[in-house]
Amino acid sequence: MIILKGVKLFDGERLREGLYDLLIEGRIVKRIVPTGNMNMFEGAKVIDLSGKIACPGFIDIHVHLREPGGEWREEIKSGALAGAYGGFTTIVAMPNTNPPIDSPELVRFVKLTGERAKGAKVLPAGSVSKGREGKELTEMARMVKEGAVLFTEDGSPTVRTDLLRSAMLYAKDLGVRIMEHPEDPYLSENGQINEGKVSAISGLKGIPATSELIDVERCIALSRELDVPIHITHVSTALAIRAIRKAKEEGVKVTCDVTPHHLTLDESKILESGYDSVYKVRPPLRSLEDVEALWDALRNGVIDAIATDHAPYHIDEKDLPFEEAPSGIASLECAVAVVLDAWEKRNRPVSLDRLLRLFTSGPSRVLPESYRSLGYLREGGFADITVIDLDKVSRVDVSTWKSKARLTPWNGLSLKGWPILTMVEGEIINDI
Amino acid sequence: MEWRHKHLFDIDDWSREDIESVLNLASEFERRLDSKESLPSLKGRTLVNFFLESSTRTRVSFEIAAKLLGINVMNWATASSSMAVKGESLKDTVWTLESMGVDMIVIRSSWVGAPQYIARKARRARVINAGDGTHAHPTQALLDIYTAWKRFGSLEGKRVLIAGDIVQSRVARSDIIGFKKMGAYVFVSGPRNMVPLHLDALGVSYEPDFIKAVKEADVIYLLRVQKERWKASAIPSDYEYHMNFGCREEVLKEAKPEAIVMHPGPINRGVELSSEVADGPQSLILEQVRNGVMVRTALLYLYLGGER
């Protein structure tokens, strides 16, 4: 038995008044009572967390674990541990591996390997098409039975609209949704950065904001027509936010997430850094106006989740001239701190309730119905808990990371606001 | 004089005085060579022309410039290098070159930011950008400025037209910065799909009417249409481009009589300019090539810390 003593409690929807003690028995949250009212059980481990915030375990619905086929970059085990050390109790593994996760057997492989990792829970996402070739649908029903929670071609868009439409309809009755990487492949072909001032100055091929918007509008049109939900991942532009906001107001079942890097970095970093590849990401870092639009969207509820798009690469692959380097930022272990620090520096423009929902009940609603409880902290529920300390200041140090990735824009930076304890089904993984 | 810059990535962080130092030194070196006086010596220094993208004129220009100063020159091209054949990383190649005692790396690459990357990896050697992708070509800009400066004496208030494939042009980007720093007014023309959308970031205006632009210009700078960089074809045909944005004899007749025609080369006759214009009296294209050697000699001298 474990007792988390004197915590503030965020239950998945709101921060409750007062302080609480939580009794964890086995894998379950047995009791939640106002602090001081808990009988002290003999042998219980008491962890005094006075004033820290206990939340439902954070959920990251967009993580690249690279296994199978890219184990030198990351493995399911290293990624699951990195997730837990970063404050996440559940992570969704993207299917753009080699081979891609396009069969029930591979879904099972990811699921079982994740279970053995003893880190964050690893939920597999399956690819929409066999071989990610964009032609034939995968065996979604069988894959769902093995544990697939989302279907996506992520890494690239679902190019054929007929396939996307068909997948959305097929997935509806399976209780899973399609997650789209929004991009028009022709508009963004060979693109390196955002099309804007920095592309004009640098000559680097720009990816216009319309590349994202066109696909977002396509998803909205299909969702509206079919009355089927769709999730749009790593939204990065004001244009796309505006379209999603309007669609939501009309009742279209569209959800979306944003990444910590698009919330905190803009295209000017590319020039300032002398074209350091650590700032190369897809979708690209956008303009300051886009960053502001994303914060506005956090504030007004257009965004449903914050997801890292953790994209680990080996240092030899990423430590190259900008144009040669692959796109992607590794961030699982500092993402929560990156967001909390930016939130603090911006004078808390979003209520804490809303911000914490984006890591908990928000992403859980993108998952199938049977996973919804993951986003809530309740008596009787699984003891997946993330405790955060908004006042903790610590430096990002990649040398201590569980992730195999070593290149991140925040390395060496001091950030305020960190997860200090991660518990997955009653097991403390990260207790700092 | 002490030169305050360690590497040359572009001239955006240069002052007008920096540019004038290079122009004056190039001019002095040119006078000495013309009067058969010897140039100062940087004997014992080693330069590598590290060309990851093929280029003959720029490489040879640097080679001649280095030899004028007595600098040892090595040419390191990708096709047969360990990078291409054995898969050696760029970082390891840079360290290898440095270990061999190279003092200066002149880098040409199709990758934007490659010079900055190499400078970050280099422990001692200085780096000069001889063209990085579609980003910058500072030595070309300096030789262009030198050519126009020699002709006009001062560039203050001169109107510089840069025409053609602006969006793909590293020459245009560096020239815009440099000519503006020298007090010139720079404007661009060309098909609208070859001009960056966010042109305001470059601080120049756009004139879609090429003939109107030519009429106003003191410098008519033509760029090569870089067809190899366009995924979807940007112009319907060479002929259509030539008729609308090519500098033809009939067009040049509209220009000021003292206007000069420049081009970074290699030229496409019958596309961005006609042979009559390329070989005509207003063309300074061959002079640009000669001036390139002078400017690069001055740059090597400054960057390798020569005493005057």
Side-chain angles (χ1 to χ4, degrees):
Chain A
M1 280 184 291
I2 298 171
I3 294 171
L4 305 182
K5 195 168 161 22
V7 294
K8 292 179 182 167
L9 183 69
F10 175 74
D11 61 13
E13 285 297 334
R14 62 185 182 282
L15 197 62
R16 292 200 200 157
E17 295 272 323
L19 299 176
Y20 294 83
D21 296 342
L22 275 59
L23 173 67
I24 318 299
E25 198 176 306
R27 300 157 69 192
I28 304 296
V29 179
K30 191 79 176 174
R31 291 195 65 199
I32 300 175
V33 296
T35 193
N37 293 344
M38 182 83 75
N39 294 327
M40 285 303 129
F41 296 92
E42 205 167 309
K45 178 180 178 182
V46 179
I47 303 174
D48 191 349
L49 292 164
S50 53
K52 313 296 186 276
I53 305 170
C55 312
F58 283 7
I59 302 166
D60 185 349
I61 54 173
H62 190 146
V63 172
H64 296 273
L65 297 183
R66 307 301 192 198
E67 187 180 356
E71 288 81 355
W72 66 92
R73 296 171 173 166
E74 193 79 285
E75 293 173 41
I76 292 170
K77 182 172 182 175
S78 61
L81 285 170
Y85 274 75
F88 296 98
T89 58
T90 300
I91 57 178
V92 178
M94 292 296 105
N96 61 333
T97 47
N98 184 21
I101 309 304
D102 64 352
S103 67
E105 294 75 19
L106 283 164
V107 170
R108 191 185 315 141
F109 164 77
V110 174
K111 180 113 179 139
L112 290 176
T113 312
E115 281 167 9
R116 282 197 292 267
K118 307 281 181 208
K121 292 174 179 169
V122 177
L123 304 182
S127 64
V128 175
S129 68
K130 288 177 188 161
R132 290 184 73 241
E133 288 175 351
K135 291 174 189 158
E136 287 178 77
L137 287 184
T138 51
E139 292 178 322
M140 287 188 189
R142 293 181 64 212
M143 290 164 78
V144 168
K145 277 190 190 133
E146 294 292 348
V149 295
L150 281 173
F151 288 88
T152 179
E153 299 283 80
D154 184 67
S156 39
T158 314
V159 180
R160 290 190 64 118
T161 309
D162 55 350
L163 186 87
L164 177 60
R165 188 174 184 274
S166 184
M168 286 169 70
L169 283 169
Y170 195 80
K172 182 180 185 179
D173 296 330
L174 301 174
V176 290
R177 68 182 75 186
I178 306 296
M179 176 164 111
E180 175 68 354
H181 163 125
E183 182 178 327
D184 178 299
Y186 298 107
L187 276 180
S188 57
E189 193 173 8
N190 291 341
Q192 296 280 330
I193 61 170
N194 182 45
E195 177 158 313
K197 288 180 178 171
V198 179
S199 66
I201 290 168
S202 66
L204 284 166
K205 175 114 170 38
I207 299 174
T210 48
S211 169
E212 179 169 284
L213 176 68
I214 284 165
D215 198 5
V216 165
E217 291 282 23
R218 180 178 69 141
C219 291
I220 290 169
L222 291 173
S223 179
R224 184 190 287 120
E225 179 206 12
L226 307 173
D227 193 31
V228 171
I230 190 162
H231 181 78
I232 301 169
T233 194
H234 50 51
V235 172
S236 65
T237 60
L239 277 180
I241 288 292
R242 199 164 66 193
I244 293 166
R245 180 178 190 169
K246 192 163 162 280
K248 283 188 161 191
E249 284 166 1
E250 289 170 15
V252 179
K253 291 171 177 164
V254 57
T255 51
C256 69
D257 66 69
V258 293
T259 72
H261 49 272
H262 289 109
L263 283 169
T264 55
L265 306 170
D266 70 272
E267 58 185 347
S268 67
K269 288 280 178 202
I270 295 159
L271 283 185
E272 277 169 28
S273 67
Y275 307 99
D276 190 333
S277 66
V278 81
Y279 296 105
K280 184 169 176 180
V281 65
R282 203 170 186 100
L285 298 180
R286 303 287 190 178
S287 70
L288 269 179
E289 293 73 29
D290 289 313
V291 174
E292 292 306 317
L294 297 186
W295 280 94
D296 270 348
L298 288 187
R299 192 164 38 237
N300 60 32
V302 173
I303 291 166
D304 300 276
I306 293 173
T308 62
D309 191 8
H310 172 73
Y313 285 99
H314 189 272
I315 193 163
D316 290 343
E317 293 173 293
K318 185 82 176 162
D319 183 15
L320 289 172
F322 194 89
E323 279 200 89
E324 268 291 272
S327 299
I329 283 174
S331 62
L332 259 182
E333 271 149 286
C334 63
V336 170
V338 165
V339 173
L340 292 177
D341 181 78
W343 175 72
E344 184 73 35
K345 286 202 173 92
R346 286 172 168 265
N347 292 322
R348 307 187 173 196
V350 184
S351 73
L352 187 58
D353 283 354
R354 192 182 284 284
L355 189 72
L356 294 177
R357 268 181 238 143
L358 294 164
F359 285 110
T360 55
S361 55
S364 85
R365 276 195 284 269
V366 178
L367 301 175
E369 191 73 41
S370 54
Y371 292 88
R372 294 288 152 87
S373 62
L374 288 179
Y376 296 88
L377 182 48
R378 292 177 182 141
E379 283 184 356
F382 275 131
D384 286 356
I385 298 171
T386 299
V387 180
I388 57 170
D389 178 352
L390 293 178
D391 297 318
K392 181 186 164 94
V393 176
S394 186
R395 194 174 288 276
V396 179
D397 178 2
V398 293
S399 69
T400 65
W401 276 15
K402 302 294 171 191
S403 168
K404 288 186 165 187
R406 286 291 175 270
L407 281 177
T408 195
W410 300 283
N411 189 33
L413 291 186
S414 217
L415 302 175
K416 186 178 178 192
W418 284 84
I420 53 167
L421 184 146
T422 310
M423 179 184 280
V424 180
E425 294 194 9
E427 292 273 340
I428 295 171
I429 312 282
N430 173 23
D431 178 9
I432 301 164
Chain B
M1 71 179 289
E2 188 153 342
W3 188 242
R4 67 189 176 96
H5 302 282
K6 185 172 182 196
H7 306 290
L8 173 54
F9 303 134
D10 199 359
I11 49 176
D12 51 352
D13 61 345
W14 280 31
S15 65
R16 181 164 170 168
E17 290 69 38
D18 290 333
I19 298 177
E20 283 169 348
S21 297
V22 172
L23 303 183
N24 288 323
L25 188 57
S27 181
E28 186 188 326
F29 284 176
E30 190 173 5
R31 183 192 58 74
R32 286 203 205 181
L33 279 173
D34 287 345
S35 58
K36 308 286 180 204
E37 288 176 45
S38 61
L39 293 184
S41 172
L42 290 176
K43 204 159 183 248
R45 301 303 188 94
T46 305
L47 173 150
V48 62
N49 268 326
F50 186 34
F51 275 50
L52 302 174
E53 185 186 69
S54 61
S55 157
T56 308
R57 68 186 61 220
T58 305
R59 182 179 58 74
V60 171
S61 183
F62 268 107
E63 191 165 347
I64 294 172
K67 284 179 175 166
L68 286 174
L69 294 169
I71 298 169
N72 297 318
V73 183
M74 292 193 302
N75 287 307
W76 187 297
T78 19
S80 59
S81 75
S82 296
M83 277 185 70
V85 179
K86 298 178 183 169
E88 187 178 47
S89 77
L90 183 53
K91 177 170 72 181
D92 285 327
T93 307
V94 171
W95 288 347
T96 301
L97 291 171
E98 274 202 314
S99 299
M100 290 175 180
V102 165
D103 300 297
M104 174 162 286
I105 299 171
V106 175
I107 165 84
R108 157 69 66 97
S109 164
S110 58
W111 305 320
V112 171
Q116 286 90 332
Y117 176 83
I118 287 172
R120 280 198 289 273
K121 298 300 162 193
R123 288 143 180 174
R124 190 178 57 83
R126 298 191 166 217
V127 176
I128 285 186
N129 181 7
D132 64 325
T134 44
H135 173 222
H137 197 351
T139 64
Q140 176 72 44
L142 290 165
L143 77 88
D144 291 337
I145 292 166
Y146 182 60
T147 304
W149 177 76
K150 275 204 315 183
R151 171 58 66 100
F152 293 116
S154 164
L155 297 176
E156 194 67 48
K158 292 289 179 220
R159 298 179 80 81
V160 177
L161 164 66
I162 300 178
D165 189 355
I166 311 287
V167 76
Q168 308 275 8
S169 176
R170 56 186 168 214
V171 173
R173 284 185 180 79
S174 291
D175 271 15
I176 287 169
I177 294 168
F179 276 107
K180 284 178 66 183
K181 279 185 194 276
M182 293 301 289
Y185 172 81
V186 183
F187 63 124
V188 301
S189 185
R192 200 176 284 271
N193 58 351
M194 290 186 160
V195 175
L197 268 185
H198 299 265
L199 201 59
D200 55 323
L202 301 178
V204 295
S205 58
Y206 171 59
E207 173 50 68
D209 182 338
F210 180 62
I211 295 180
K212 197 172 161 206
V214 164
K215 281 182 187 171
E216 292 177 17
D218 298 295
V219 176
I220 301 162
Y221 197 103
L222 306 162
L223 297 169
R224 188 171 69 83
V225 175
Q226 302 193 54
K227 283 189 208 161
E228 70 279 9
R229 292 191 195 271
W230 286 92
K231 271 279 169 188
S233 118
I235 55 169
S237 73
D238 288 352
Y239 183 66
E240 178 162 310
Y241 182 88
H242 189 59
M243 295 314 288
N244 286 297
F245 296 98
C247 195
R248 298 170 284 124
E249 254 188 321
E250 307 88 284
V251 174
L252 196 59
K253 275 186 190 142
E254 304 284 331
K256 297 177 187 174
E258 68 277 16
I260 57 174
V261 174
M262 296 171 71
H263 190 295
I267 58 176
N268 287 318
R269 291 169 186 266
V271 186
E272 58 266 9
L273 79 180
S274 66
S275 280
E276 292 80 1
V277 171
D279 307 332
Q282 284 170 278
S283 166
L284 296 185
I285 295 171
L286 288 176
E287 198 175 319
Q288 282 173 270
V289 178
R290 173 182 153 80
N291 290 336
V293 175
M294 296 300 109
V295 164
R296 289 177 177 121
T297 307
L299 287 169
L300 294 181
Y301 186 79
L302 289 169
Y303 277 91
L304 287 174
E307 295 295 323
R308 288 171 83 177

